[in-house]
């Protein structure tokens, strides 16, 4: 039986292929930076369907609160995961293939009624926003985390304002 | 456990929702007309994932040779079915929803390597061609069925030629 | 100042136009059925930008946990709302206009990094799944709600199985 | 007259251009690995229409059971082939050109009723899945082949699980 | 053998299905109005491939100068026709099906090098412009026809100016 | 409070990210060449929503006549800016991301009624045309500027004619 | 020579066909309501190219400040108009035809560098926003008009707030 | 006045920008190879509208029989050319820009009724097929040219068969 490896994990990241690892490690890093323990797995909805089912079914009892599922092409991973849990599932469409992730986006977001998937943008911005969305959800029960999220929001604002300042200096 | 109902069935038609029944009954009717026993089921990849898994896993041992899976929107049914069997699985993207089946088409056809789905056209022509494709597959081991398929091919040709004749009469 | 009207609300539904009311009332009804108090508002990101800002900025302190934002065409409402809060924001792309909601989908889901929007399907299935997603999030801190969600998941499975049973009776 | 070259072939692969050879050789290799004799041909629906017609018309009597047809742009090869046989025809849309195979996909999959084409994904995953689909079809009459397909399915699952293990080692 | 019915025809209109007749009769009517004899046929690239081949191959020797081919979905008719002749072939993508003719457009216009199809707009404006394009081609060898085309161009200009005049009367 | 830096500016260029700077500097350069003072800022609709609001709200009283707003992905910047001013706002969809700016285009152009955005092409030609559009608007109250625009129009015509001449020399 | 009919007009609305009249009369009505004299014309870029050229070339000297051009399908009217003037030209893509205005949108907005077209949304919201954009441009030289635009912006905000109030009363 | 440079030209190739020269020279080369004199010009529908009008208007009286017009983005060149002549006009959509020629394709092919453009594929195959289409049209009045076209058709068939032979040798 495919069990949860990290018994402290609050967020489970599952991806359909090792090739998704580079992009999804950005999501993991953001969760690490916020001090959230993560379970990160490679499990395929099509090649290891039973393992996906087991892992998704056990996530809640193991203490996971939010699942992030990333897949490309006909991306079924997030939907299948959502079908086996009542945890919130975030879907990240991967960019791979000639259609550049449009297929993965529609396969992830156009879920029929009854089985929700919280879909974010294709590829890198989606991976980052999936982590942020998980943090916002976890923040509902964690005031300290909410403070950190407010800090983060201030910080990305300041980065924009700093870019603006540099531009003004350059323009003169 | 979700078992095969029709123990004589050679083709299993599974669809994600009762609303797909009208279009998919056209596929069943064509198989009936060719004398092929059919198992027709409503099972949803998202609402009844375990039943889909059980049904797909048992199809082969029950004698089913070809599976036709029809679903709309983020259509995962054919892919999930294919992941649980080594039978050929034909996917029919349904037309429902604002994107008119483009989402179902991409969700069905853009399968990653390892788990094939034989995809046909969106909606009605797809349902008919799914039945014909199943018949062509079954025909490989059934010379009489191949004769019927040749008759069918002649017959649809004759219908075209009859339309043409009527047009000539009307123009001429 | 635009304030929260329902001081008990746990979910805030905001939509860009009165014409979105019919579809979004389905989301409200589902939340009502699960006993979740809802704040439902019509506020436009383009016609009443200050009111959206105020409402989104005050949602958290008023006790709202999850925001659902629905808009069509160049749908900015969910993104703008997300920019003014650290609550999870769910975006529902509306179907209106000649592009059938494809514009609203891309405007809602393709958020740049830093400001997440949990996007669901275009139109009606999206409205229902937005409510379910909010319930799953709220369920993380509410065991009774999680039980209800498990009941719901069983119930929609049973509806599928009942449809299947009726089909067998009809065929058989 | 264009005849079948490999009189033992069970699968015929036909492609519209020499430039499709690299991708389609992956399909041939998979069939070779499963011990299935293959006829592989370059024949164009537009530049050598008579040869395509002859080859497709003779495939069945020569012992071919399944045809795989690969073409790009306005990809008519699979449809034309299907029109001249009652064998199952699998269409692989090639990725070439500015539209990245979306044109080939729609030209292959949107077949009108009466002439089925079993369409797989654009490009490389499609080529692999075309071979697997052919193997699943051939497996219906070949128990040993079905065993091999089960082995293959286990093997690709194990590859995923191995990737997952490596990831755990790296993270852990 | 499928032969040319109208031995005086200068333009051959071929369509894939009787259901295309209503739209394509607009093209025929325009050619009639210009006094050009027309051969109009229903022949399907998929259901009657041999008849299409014969008809297209014989068109030139029978005196036909231009071929107009109309089909929907995976529209191969114009391409197949062009492969069997060196006459100019005009392709009209039909609007039928859920993708509204986008599939027929790409299947008709994205022809690989070597086999040209002169593609016009989807549906009704395409049917009219196909006739006009045929007339412009025939006009190269027929000064009187060119005069008529100049008259036509003046006439459609006058219709616009008349609409404009009526608008001014209404506004003013 | 985010104020206007260049008190003489007639055109304000705002962009959502420093990475848009290279393309948008082409727009600034054209305005510089026509002698129009420019305020150029980096402000993000999602990361610095309040600053965008303040800047847009103050633009008119500071003397700015036209605003150019450039953003990628779910590009809300132009719409949000337009909601806070009655100045004409020109939106430039940026090309970034896997969908190549189609998302930014639809997010910018498909504005609901009441809040206009003058949208130009994706990326570089859009940046240049945004500057030209601003110049045409400013030219309505500046006869000298109109003369310069006529010169510009003559000059780009001459460049085409010069290319043509070079081609003739090369062919000739 | 096609001349300007309304010698007082500040805005010229030109449309490619009488069938665009219903939608574009909404734009005219808004300009009427703001007291702006309008020249409204039916002139086709393809059927009356010379008249379009003349009208566009004379618009400025006749006192027109802004041109609104509406067309469907391969919509060239706005681009052609812009090529013959240095006035700001607003393009409204019409919804007609099977592609629902996506063709008109791309034909209008994707202008190459040198010839700007200020494109608005497809169909009705685009017609209204074209009028508002023209008013914003005219407002730059007309303080009273700017006051009216501020009133308008307040009024559409109030309409939203009124809808919201009615919703609250109904929810209660 | 922009006149025809090559008084012997039977085909006029016009393109919107010098950057289209490389692709369109392939079309010219094919026409050269068939011995057809060509007029090749760079003229822009937007930057030199009057020159396009003059050139198109004079093409027929100068002896040109067929016009090929190539442009990218919002490609109006073929449509504008067709509006000023009764010669057959072939449109080649160029691939440039982020939308990869989909914009140019729709801007060229979706012509409203009355002004036909014979559209070919995006980019290189389109350029070659435009030349072939012109040759087929010219062949209607030139038996020797028709012979050459038959030779060409045989030759491209032989190239395919040669590729096939080489593949057989390689496979063994």
């Amino acid at each position: 039986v495919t069990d949860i490896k990290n018994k402290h994990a609050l967020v489970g990241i599952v991806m359909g292929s090792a090739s998704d690892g580079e992009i999804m490690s950005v999501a993991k890093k953001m969760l690490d930076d916020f001090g959230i323990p993560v379970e990160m797995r490679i499990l395929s909805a099509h090649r290891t369907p039973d393992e996906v089912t087991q892992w998704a079914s056990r996530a809640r009892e193991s203490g996971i609160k939010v699942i992030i599922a990333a897949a490309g092409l006909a991306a079924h991973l997030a939907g299948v995961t959502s079908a086996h849990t009542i945890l919130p599932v975030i879907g990240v469409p991967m960019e791979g293939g000639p259609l550049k992730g449009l297929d993965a986006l529609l396969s992830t977001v156009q879920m029929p009624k009854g089985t929700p998937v919280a879909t974010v943008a294709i590829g890198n911005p989606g991976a980052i926003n999936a982590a942020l969305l998980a943090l916002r959800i976890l923040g509902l029960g964690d005031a300290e985390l909410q403070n950190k999220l407010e800090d983060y929001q201030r910080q990305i604002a300041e980065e924009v304002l700093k870019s603006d300042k540099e531009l003004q200096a350059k323009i003169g």
Side-chain angles (χ1 to χ4, degrees), chain A:
Chain A
V1 173
T2 303
D3 224 323
I4 309 303
K5 302 274 185 184
N6 180 348
K7 297 298 178 192
H8 306 290
L10 294 176
V11 175
I13 298 176
V14 60
M15 50 200 177
S17 155
S19 63
D20 302 327
E22 195 176 326
I23 281 186
M24 291 315 292
S25 67
V26 177
K28 182 173 182 303
K29 196 183 169 308
M30 176 156 282
L31 292 163
D32 289 348
D33 289 351
F34 276 82
I36 301 299
V38 174
E39 159 99 350
M40 192 173 193
R41 302 297 295 269
I42 299 170
L43 293 172
S44 159
H46 300 121
R47 288 176 289 162
T48 59
D50 296 335
E51 286 76 5
V52 167
T53 298
Q54 291 165 16
W55 184 83
S57 303
R58 283 152 187 273
R60 179 154 71 106
E61 70 192 26
S62 173
I64 285 176
K65 302 292 185 195
V66 184
I67 292 173
I68 296 171
L73 299 173
H76 302 181
L77 187 59
V80 166
T81 303
S82 182
H84 285 94
T85 188
I86 57 163
L87 295 176
V89 175
I90 301 167
V92 187
M94 291 285 105
E95 188 180 332
L99 301 186
K100 297 288 180 190
L102 183 65
D103 40 10
L105 172 57
L106 296 182
S107 304
T108 303
V109 78
Q110 284 294 85
M111 290 294 292
K113 64 184 171 181
T115 313
V117 169
T119 307
V120 291
I122 301 168
N124 177 272
I128 292 172
N129 282 348
L132 283 171
L133 193 53
L135 290 166
R136 288 186 177 202
I137 291 169
L138 294 174
L140 293 175
D142 180 343
E144 196 188 341
L145 181 52
Q146 287 198 324
N147 290 341
K148 286 186 191 169
L149 281 166
E150 289 187 312
D151 287 348
Y152 174 81
Q153 226 166 24
R154 265 189 295 270
Q155 176 196 323
I156 61 174
E158 273 158 31
E159 282 167 18
V160 173
L161 299 179
K162 192 170 153 247
S163 296
D164 183 48
K165 219 167 188 171
E166 288 169 1
L167 177 68
Q168 302 314 315
K170 198 172 133 195
I171 295 175

